[in-house]
Amino acid sequence: MTFSIITPTMNSAAHLEATITSVLNQQGVVLEYLLIDGGSTDETLAIIKRYAAFDGRIRWISEPDRGISDAFNKGIQLATGEVIGIINSDDLYEQGALALVCEQFTQSPHCDLVHGDMLRVEGERPLFRMVPGPVGSLIWREMPINHPATFVKAACYRSWGWFDTGLSLTMDYELVLRFYRAGCCFCYLPHVLARMRYGGASDNRFRAVRSELVRVTVSNGYPRCKAIWWYIYYLLAGTLKLLLRRTGLHAVIRLHPKFRPLSGDTL
């Protein structure tokens, strides 16, 4: 089984090297690494060129794009692997993650998508382990899986399409919803596969994320009254979580079953 890993970049020099090495250090799998740059003006391209010069698994482009969905789609279009993973330029794969995913796909060939747990980190400090809930129960309410810890067979993209470039914040959710409605088989792997730093668009623009999610669910047939109810619920929950995080009360957040303590989180 071959993997195509995609990282979109745009002035991503701060954490890019850590992301790149977390991909290139994966053992026991065949992979290509696609870096899709949107025209960076910092040291991003210098970092990419330096790694590409000694590792032939890297392919990269740098050109203006129409946002992160467009960058994702460019990577998917270039991908030649059987399985596609997307890791953003400030996130990391855990050591051995791809080997575990390969084993899961091999043992369960009916799986279209394999997803696992993820650590949320602030700076370099892990805060808690995010464990996804049942996809069928959550799909109309929230993103039910951890996108950095998700790997999709390339055939799913060919059959059901790419990321919607008309969305700026919930493009990953909309695509997962599309896969779910198409009957794709989701397989959960109970291991930490990735680390995601706080500070992305979904963290900084929570209200806008929830508003766009309402638009996506209603356009797919979900009752507007229910969508608005979940909008209010998650807006209040997100505000409380932000307050707890800013005051350092992470132990309270870990009381929720989705946010587990860190003990035993290594692969």
Side-chain angles (χ1 to χ4, degrees):
M1 174 168 286
T2 57
F3 285 80
S4 293
I5 305 301
I6 299 166
T7 295
T9 63
M10 183 62 188
N11 294 332
S12 306
H15 300 293
L16 180 58
E17 288 198 66
T19 302
I20 291 175
T21 55
S22 80
V23 174
L24 298 182
N25 288 342
Q26 296 294 314
Q27 301 293 316
V29 295
V30 178
L31 68 86
E32 64 175 1
Y33 190 22
L34 304 168
L35 290 141
I36 311 300
D37 183 69
S40 294
T41 57
D42 65 355
E43 294 299 309
T44 295
L45 287 179
I47 294 170
I48 292 173
K49 290 176 181 178
R50 186 168 75 249
Y51 279 89
F54 70 80
D55 197 314
R57 294 175 295 175
I58 292 178
R59 288 192 287 147
W60 63 276
I61 60 172
S62 181
E63 61 188 23
D65 56 43
R66 294 177 291 131
I68 195 168
S69 294
D70 190 31
F72 288 157
N73 291 341
K74 287 179 180 180
I76 294 168
Q77 189 173 16
L78 291 171
T80 62
E82 298 167 87
V83 173
I84 295 175
I86 296 175
I87 188 83
N88 285 332
S89 58
D90 51 359
D91 301 332
L92 306 167
Y93 283 140
E94 290 288 291
Q95 185 176 0
L98 297 193
L100 287 170
V101 173
C102 184
E103 181 181 9
Q104 180 70 32
F105 273 118
T106 301
Q107 294 178 352
S108 305
H110 62 283
C111 293
D112 296 306
L113 182 155
V114 169
H115 65 104
D117 298 348
M118 176 179 77
L119 296 184
R120 289 307 307 262
V121 301
E122 196 157 39
E124 301 302 323
R125 182 168 67 105
L127 298 179
F128 40 75
R129 173 176 181 164
M130 293 189 67
V131 179
V135 174
S137 301
L138 297 174
I139 190 67
W140 293 104
R141 296 162 43 182
E142 63 176 347
M143 179 64 162
I145 62 179
N146 299 311
H147 191 232
T150 298
F151 300 83
V152 181
K153 286 183 176 177
C156 291
Y157 289 107
R158 292 193 293 268
S159 297
W160 307 112
W162 300 347
F163 290 88
D164 185 345
T165 56
L167 299 171
S168 58
L169 296 168
T170 60
M171 69 294 291
D172 51 352
Y173 167 78
E174 188 277 334
L175 187 60
V176 168
L177 177 60
R178 202 186 319 154
F179 288 156
Y180 174 80
R181 297 187 72 200
C184 293
C185 181
F186 289 62
C187 293
Y188 169 59
L189 181 61
H191 290 273
V192 176
L193 302 179
R195 297 186 177 214
M196 183 179 183
R197 287 185 173 89
Y198 274 107
S202 60
D203 296 320
N204 296 328
R205 301 177 61 191
F206 183 75
R207 184 187 296 269
V209 169
R210 294 306 309 182
S211 296
E212 192 171 271
L213 191 143
V214 168
R215 178 160 60 89
V216 170
T217 56
V218 171
S219 68
N220 280 275
Y222 194 62
R224 181 176 296 275
C225 59
K226 290 185 178 181
I228 293 174
W229 157 252
W230 289 121
Y231 170 82
I232 296 170
Y233 172 86
Y234 281 105
L235 196 63
L236 294 173
T239 301
L240 176 60
K241 178 186 168 188
L242 179 62
L243 177 63
L244 292 172
R245 185 165 65 86
R246 286 181 173 175
T247 54
L249 297 175
H250 302 109
V252 178
I253 298 176
R254 295 186 194 112
L255 294 175
H256 192 285
K258 182 177 179 178
F259 303 100
R260 301 287 177 83
L262 295 174
S263 59
D265 278 343
T266 55
L267 292 173

